[in-house]
């Protein structure tokens, strides 16, 4: 199957019930063409070819396309895309995004690779505005509709990627785009090439220290070929405390122009002028942005959501469209903190790098939004009184650029609670972040899955104020499980208890994986121990029981390297087979993410079924042990 | 023994041969007084008391005291201290450093704790200028001479620490001081206290992104109580590419004044005015700095070094004064890179965060000094051509604030060589940094100890360009060992081979620890396997041999948590007892550092002797295994 068909066929068919009749007709034609035609070339070439083969367009306006993409997806960063749409259109009009389709110059791999075409190189640092480019490509005739209908639903990613025609790939944190642009500008200058680099950035991401390092270096290295276009909407996820400082930009980029960022002609005019100029410069584009995350509202849905083109086909199985939202477990953080404050009378000082919504802080506890600056968030705890509960809240992966400052805090500060969001969604993230946090001096990591466990983590910090408590706050929606180890947070609790005597095999799970495994284990009924601690301390009876198993399996929805299972092997020499995440997190929705890492319900059922039936009489010798590890 | 006596007695006596007669006389009187008197109070109180009890001063001028401290120590950051001396004197004159002695308000712990005394709080962000404060205290009568004679030699640390009377403690990276100051200013403002925070910083440290995040936040939070004093000597370790941007400072601090930083009266006048003012401000102090690290030169030595007061006392054992310097192994990096370039014709692109000297780059390979900005250094590799060898060179611990950007690079860039300096010296460092680097996606970590092993690491990258190679570049001086596993970098090589048949016990060591253990094992003669890889791959014969040992010991001069020994336990379930670093790195010289972590020659001899003699007939069961781990 061609790369493009593999990407979109299943997801586009699943999306059909959510499409208008016109959209549905186009998608069907595209899928048919994709099945019949030769689409063996690279993805970008196939996209152009398919767009040409099926010239019908259900919508003429890219803003409308953007809205429909997000309505169909049911999630995403619609407003961020909309905020940049005029800038994106100006890039097209200036030839910065190739007219003949996405990524004429793109190739394999993810390193930044200049195209050498057009008036300048374009680096898109606003990682999640890929949809704006796709929408614009679509109405210009160089991008089919079917992939657009798969956004965030197992097909098209919303994040900038070279495979989809960009010069750069975005993967982790904001701020990387500016580094990519400066790296490229420095390299072009070194080669003596008289060619500029345009970097599309946002006023939110410029709050990060790395962006400063890059702009400072560009200035000090005398680069005259960097044009920083700033989508200045005054918002990260939350409103910025103060507008982006133009004086700051001027101090490192020299020339700073300002324009109406919602007016394509104005952006095109200003940017064109700067491209023709002899120096580096910043173009501040004044834009507007609504809510960061797209949420289908009742009124919006009734106003814009189309009737299904036809009834869902039961043969396709359950409709993967988003179910009415349970809340993400991470959003219960605010309530837990509020309850703790009430119980102890201890006023928390909460710092968040723009993630109050994710942790449900508003209305529960006061907090200071530090902007997109994790190192600062940790730094702000350094001089607070000993009695204050210090809470820092951001995504686990964002701490990876702050582990030294975190160590400073874990070493010098008492009563430090680090909330480390665990995103398994569209933006991606580093699968090893939690393990890295667990390697920092004076820390203990927990991944609670019930409110009681979460509260027990905060209570444990109250008892052990010298140890920084890291809560891996799972960004997934699940029903409260029946098991809970809040009474013994450092040990384990049996989800499926073993019968009398020594069981032959057992499965030990960490945090959120316990929820997944409990569900998948209903049939197999293997003795199942749940732990909330990344590094549990087993009592001797439990340890003897685990050590006595002929076969032992650990499951964690977490990086294997240095994780839960490996710690049990290293600490207790338990010959466990370790099941966990071995690849990096990709940009896709939760259900797709589970599948990618072997954690979907059917995959886990298979794993447990196989584990229950494998012969147990080959007691693990050294050889078997090493093999079981891999 | 009193805390002060414990700190200085041994080291001060060892320093006696390097003192002038006048100095020696004072130190002897102080040591006598310390032995006789009641010095049971906290360190700062004892210092004041001793200084008062022995009022003689061998030098009247604190600049002269500073020079003598560094001549006696034989190392340190003399020029950095000298650069700030007038600023420090101005702080004394303004009452920012308490006249009645160091740290009247200091207490236990290392969190920033405001004194509440004097006209403002003083945070010293230039971490290594503690000696300038001590020297000034000394001539003002509030600090004895004996501790000054122990600087960097097992007594006094040169780094800011609350135990020695500062409001803050410096531990890890530069940039922390600005965070501490902003945290304190924010907290004072929150409490409604009308009190300013003075932060002594340097133009080098302001190159780091975290300092930007802090100043940006101070501005956006509307702080009016932060006075940033910048020692502006135009140098980090190397000259800055461009002077500190005053416009940048003005964009976030509003008011920027400039003064002659070598003129105490000028600094006092300007700083006093800013302290009385209603707003936050920066004071740019123009200063001068020579070579970053103090090196005793022949001419300087002959000009200033005093004759020993008397002949060294053989009963005290070998004189711990610095021996004529062998070169640090890390400084051979430049030559290795040059040889690789010659062999392959591949031009390297080398980025260093101000550490060219440490890696011996100059004269061997061209490099770009990025200033004190590690995240940027990694970011600059993102857009380089695939064929280019990308080299980033800084201290292992400094990568801890750049692991996300590093992951970006290890995931997207080919031919990436990360040089991670391993400092076990006066500045301290994080003992777990190498292990964290080893947990990053697509990396392999090696700690070579011979030139051939170092070259093999770079050659291995040539063969495996998709895997980032991290070289833990040891900052220690040692004779080239006779063993070498350059022929099989991922396995091990026997330093002391086992006899025929299965040995009863063996010791497996990693990198630099192999050098230490080889020396200590001469008497015990235990079979000893050396590995250069943090995560070795043993062939089945070696693995069977190790697994067959009744007792196994691993030694690494590296953090235990997630390190070499634990990886062998996790990967191969080898029931090894793990000897390594379990506490954080302190600020002291190499020999003292070794002792602190149980790695000094006599400690290792004891360890190996005990290991060789312990009964081997208790085959490690599960219980023994767990016990052996701890």
């Amino acid at each position: 199957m061609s790369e493009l068909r593999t990407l979109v066929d299943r997801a586009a068919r699943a999306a059909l019930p959510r499409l208008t009749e016109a959209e549905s007709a186009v998608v069907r034609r595209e899928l048919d063409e994709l099945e019949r035609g030769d689409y063996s070339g690279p993805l970008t070439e196939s996209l152009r070819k398919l767009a040409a083969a099926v010239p019908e367009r259900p919508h003429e306006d890219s803003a409308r396309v953007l809205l429909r993409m997000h309505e169909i997806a049911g999630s995403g960063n619609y407003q961020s895309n909309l905020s940049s749409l005029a800038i994106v259109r100006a890039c097209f009009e200036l030839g910065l995004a190739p007219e003949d389709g996405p990524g004429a110059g793109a190739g394999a791999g993810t390193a930044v690779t200049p195209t050498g075409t057009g008036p300048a190189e374009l680096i898109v640092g606003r990682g999640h505005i890929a949809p704006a480019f796709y929408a614009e490509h679509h109405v210009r005739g160089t991008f089919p509709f079917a992939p657009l209908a798969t956004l965030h639903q197992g097909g098209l990613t919303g994040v900038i990627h070279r495979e989809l025609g960009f010069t750069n790939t975005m993967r982790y944190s904001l701020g990387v785009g500016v580094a990519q642009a400066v790296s490229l500008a420095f390299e072009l200058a070194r080669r003596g090439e008289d060619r500029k680099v345009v970097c599309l950035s946002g006023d939110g991401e410029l709050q990060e220290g790395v962006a400063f390092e890059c702009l400072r270096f560009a200035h000090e290295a005398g680069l005259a070929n960097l044009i920083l276009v700033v989508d200045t909407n005054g918002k990260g996820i939350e409103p910025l405390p103060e507008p982006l400082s133009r004086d700051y930009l001027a101090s490192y980029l020299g020339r700073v122009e300002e324009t109406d960022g919602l007016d394509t002609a104005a952006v095109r005019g200003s940017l064109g002028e700067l491209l023709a100029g002899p120096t580096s410069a910043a173009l501040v584009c004044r834009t507007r942005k609504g809510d960061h995350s797209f949420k289908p509202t009742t009124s919006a849905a009734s106003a814009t959501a189309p009737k299904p083109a036809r009834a869902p086909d039961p043969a396709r199985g359950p409709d993967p469209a988003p179910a009415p939202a349970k809340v993400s477990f991470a959003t219960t953080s605010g309530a837990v903190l509020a309850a703790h404050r009430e119980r102890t009378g201890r006023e928390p000082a909460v710092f968040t790098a723009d993630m109050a919504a994710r942790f449900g802080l508003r209305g529960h506890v006061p907090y200071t939004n530090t902007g997109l600056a994790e190192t600062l968030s940790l730094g702000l705890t350094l001089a607070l009184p000993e009695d204050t509960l210090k809470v820092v809240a951001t995504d686990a992966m964002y701490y990876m650029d702050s582990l030294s400052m975190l160590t400073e805090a874990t070493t010098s500060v008492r009563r430090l609670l680090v909330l480390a969001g665990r995103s398994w969604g569209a933006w991606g993230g580093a699968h090893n972040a939690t393990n890295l946090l667990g390697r920092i001096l004076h820390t203990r990591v927990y991944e609670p899955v019930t409110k009681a466990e979460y509260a027990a983590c905060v209570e444990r910090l109250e008892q052990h104020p010298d140890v920084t408590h890291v809560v891996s706050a799972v960004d997934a929606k699940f029903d409260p499980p029946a098991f809970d180890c809040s009474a013994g947070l450092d040990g384990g609790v049996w989800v499926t208890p073993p019968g009398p005597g020594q069981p032959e095999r057992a499965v030990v799970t960490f945090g959120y994986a316990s929820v997944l495994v409990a569900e998948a284990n209903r049939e197999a009924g293997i003795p199942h121990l749940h732990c909330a601690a990344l590094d549990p301390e087993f009592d001797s009876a439990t340890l003897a029981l685990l050590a006595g198993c002929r076969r032992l399996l650990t499951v964690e929805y977490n990086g294997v390297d240095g994780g839960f299972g490996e710690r049990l092997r290293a600490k207790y020499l338990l010959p466990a087979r370790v099941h966990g995440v071995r690849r990096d997190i990709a940009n896709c929705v939760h259900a797709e993410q589970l599948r990618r890492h072997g954690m979907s319900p059917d995959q886990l059922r298979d794993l447990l079924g196989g584990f229950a039936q494998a012969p147990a009489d080959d007691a693990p010798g050294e050889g078997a042990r090493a093999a079981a590890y891999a």
Side-chain angles (χ1 to χ4, degrees), chain A:
Chain A
M1 205 190 279
S2 72
E3 198 180 350
L4 179 54
R5 198 166 166 224
T6 304
L7 181 74
V8 305
D9 192 79
R10 186 173 65 95
R13 288 185 198 280
L16 284 173
R18 302 196 296 285
L19 305 187
T20 63
E21 281 193 39
E23 291 167 347
S24 188
V26 170
V27 167
R28 285 171 197 283
R29 283 206 51 194
E30 289 173 347
L31 295 180
D32 288 349
E33 162 68 18
L34 205 46
E35 189 175 353
R36 278 198 317 268
D38 171 18
Y39 286 85
S40 56
L43 201 50
T44 49
E45 188 189 305
S46 297
L47 286 164
R48 282 195 300 278
K49 190 173 171 186
L50 181 59
V54 184
E56 291 87 347
R57 295 288 170 269
H59 310 287
E60 297 299 321
D61 176 10
S62 51
R64 174 77 189 157
V65 175
L66 258 184
L67 177 62
R68 286 297 299 138
M69 289 171 72
H70 286 87
E71 286 178 339
I72 297 165
S75 68
N77 300 288
Y78 170 59
Q79 289 285 347
S80 264
N81 278 279
L82 204 57
S83 172
S84 281
L85 186 58
I87 300 171
V88 169
R89 286 172 173 163
C91 287
F92 273 84
E93 294 185 7
L94 288 165
L96 292 165
E99 267 297 327
D100 61 345
T110 56
V112 177
T113 310
T115 62
T117 63
E121 299 292 337
L122 178 66
I123 297 288
V124 183
R126 297 197 74 216
H128 43 280
I129 63 166
F133 281 87
Y134 303 144
E136 192 61 24
H137 270 302
H138 177 68
V139 298
R140 287 167 182 265
T142 51
F143 207 100
F145 194 81
L148 305 183
T150 69
L151 181 71
H152 301 321
Q153 290 292 333
L156 201 62
T157 167
V159 181
I160 303 298
H161 201 290
R162 272 195 71 217
E163 277 182 6
L164 279 149
F166 296 93
T167 301
N168 62 316
T169 297
M170 293 297 291
R171 203 185 338 253
Y172 296 102
S173 193
L174 294 167
V176 168
V178 183
Q180 291 171 326
V182 171
S183 176
L184 183 54
F186 187 60
E187 172 64 9
L188 292 176
R190 189 193 64 76
R191 288 190 219 158
E193 288 187 30
D194 183 25
R195 194 167 165 72
K196 285 199 169 67
V197 176
V198 173
C199 179
L200 294 197
S201 64
D203 51 355
E205 88 188 75
L206 293 182
Q207 293 181 317
E208 287 207 79
V210 61
F212 159 81
E213 292 184 358
C214 293
L215 298 182
R216 193 260 302 158
F217 178 82
H219 166 72
E220 294 178 353
L223 297 186
N225 59 348
L226 178 69
I227 307 293
L228 184 74
V229 177
V230 191
D231 180 332
T232 310
N233 51 37
K235 277 185 128 178
I237 298 174
E238 304 207 17
L240 306 187
E242 293 288 328
L244 172 69
S245 166
R246 274 69 164 169
D247 289 345
Y248 158 60
L249 285 183
S251 66
Y252 286 121
L253 283 159
R255 182 174 179 188
V256 178
E257 300 295 335
E258 192 149 348
T259 194
D260 179 353
L262 298 174
D263 178 340
T264 302
V267 176
R268 185 188 59 225
S270 302
L271 181 52
E273 199 182 305
L274 294 179
L275 278 171
T279 63
S280 290
L283 178 60
V284 173
C285 299
R286 291 183 307 270
T287 61
R288 259 196 319 275
K289 181 175 140 184
D291 275 351
H292 184 75
S293 292
F294 180 79
K295 286 179 196 70
T297 60
T298 319
S299 62
S302 62
T304 61
K307 288 214 172 106
R310 60 171 196 177
D313 179 356
R316 278 203 318 280
D319 186 332
K326 291 177 210 163
V327 300
S328 150
F329 186 74
T331 62
T332 65
S333 305
V336 170
L337 293 175
H340 181 78
R341 178 178 54 175
E342 192 152 322
R343 199 163 61 247
T344 62
R346 199 183 291 288
E347 195 64 34
V350 184
F351 301 99
T352 181
D354 223 26
M355 295 210 166
R358 185 160 170 194
F359 293 98
L361 301 180
R362 192 173 297 164
H364 291 289
V365 284
Y367 61 89
T368 300
N369 186 6
T370 56
L372 295 164
E374 291 74 31
T375 315
L376 168 69
S377 300
L378 291 162
L380 284 173
T381 67
L382 296 179
L384 301 188
E386 190 172 305
D387 277 351
T388 302
L389 172 65
K390 295 120 194 134
V391 184
V392 179
T394 189
D395 188 282
M397 73 169 168
Y398 294 158
Y399 291 105
M400 289 173 66
D401 274 352
S402 309
L403 293 184
S404 178
M405 187 63 90
L406 177 59
T407 308
E408 184 67 43
T410 66
T411 308
S412 66
V413 160
R414 305 186 88 209
R415 297 184 209 286
L416 177 60
L417 179 66
V418 171
L419 306 188
R422 281 280 248 183
S423 167
W424 307 95
W427 177 248
H431 73 290
N432 55 341
T434 302
N435 297 340
L436 294 174
L437 288 166
R439 298 288 174 191
I440 295 300
L441 275 175
H442 317 306
T443 62
R444 294 272 302 163
V445 176
Y446 299 91
E447 187 165 284
V449 290
T450 70
K451 280 185 186 173
E453 284 183 351
Y454 204 148
C457 293
V458 187
E459 181 53 36
R460 193 184 184 285
L461 173 60
E462 198 63 41
Q463 304 305 319
H464 301 87
D466 288 332
V467 176
T468 293
H469 284 51
V470 176
V471 170
S472 170
V474 178
D475 237 345
K477 299 162 182 174
F478 50 88
D479 290 319
F483 53 86
D484 177 299
C485 65
S486 58
L489 200 60
D490 289 302
V493 70
W494 289 101
V495 179
T496 304
Q502 172 65 45
E504 196 172 61
R505 52 197 100 203
V507 55
V508 189
T509 59
F510 168 57
Y512 179 51
S514 301
V515 177
L516 301 170
V517 167
E519 182 64 31
N521 189 36
R522 283 174 194 236
E523 200 169 308
I526 302 162
H528 172 199
L529 188 70
H530 156 66
C531 300
L534 180 64
D535 183 16
E537 304 281 345
F538 292 132
D539 58 43
S540 55
T542 305
L543 186 57
L545 191 144
L546 296 178
C549 287
R550 305 299 289 265
R551 286 184 169 270
L552 198 62
L553 175 69
T554 66
V555 183
E556 62 201 293
Y557 192 18
N558 173 51
V560 160
D561 192 36
F564 176 78
E566 284 197 5
R567 280 171 178 264
L568 291 186
R569 289 175 60 94
K571 185 169 176 175
Y572 296 120
L573 292 176
L574 291 172
R577 175 175 165 198
V578 177
H579 184 72
V581 177
R582 291 178 188 270
R583 305 163 65 188
D584 201 10
I585 308 297
N587 300 314
C588 48
V589 289
H590 187 68
E592 288 299 318
Q593 200 70 258
L594 288 176
R595 184 168 311 280
R596 178 179 165 89
H597 302 294
M599 298 282 171
S600 69
D602 52 336
Q603 288 170 316
L604 285 180
R605 265 193 304 272
D606 287 352
L607 175 78
L608 294 168
F611 178 71
Q613 282 153 28
D617 55 359
D618 52 341
E622 300 304 336
R625 284 170 178 177
Y629 169 82

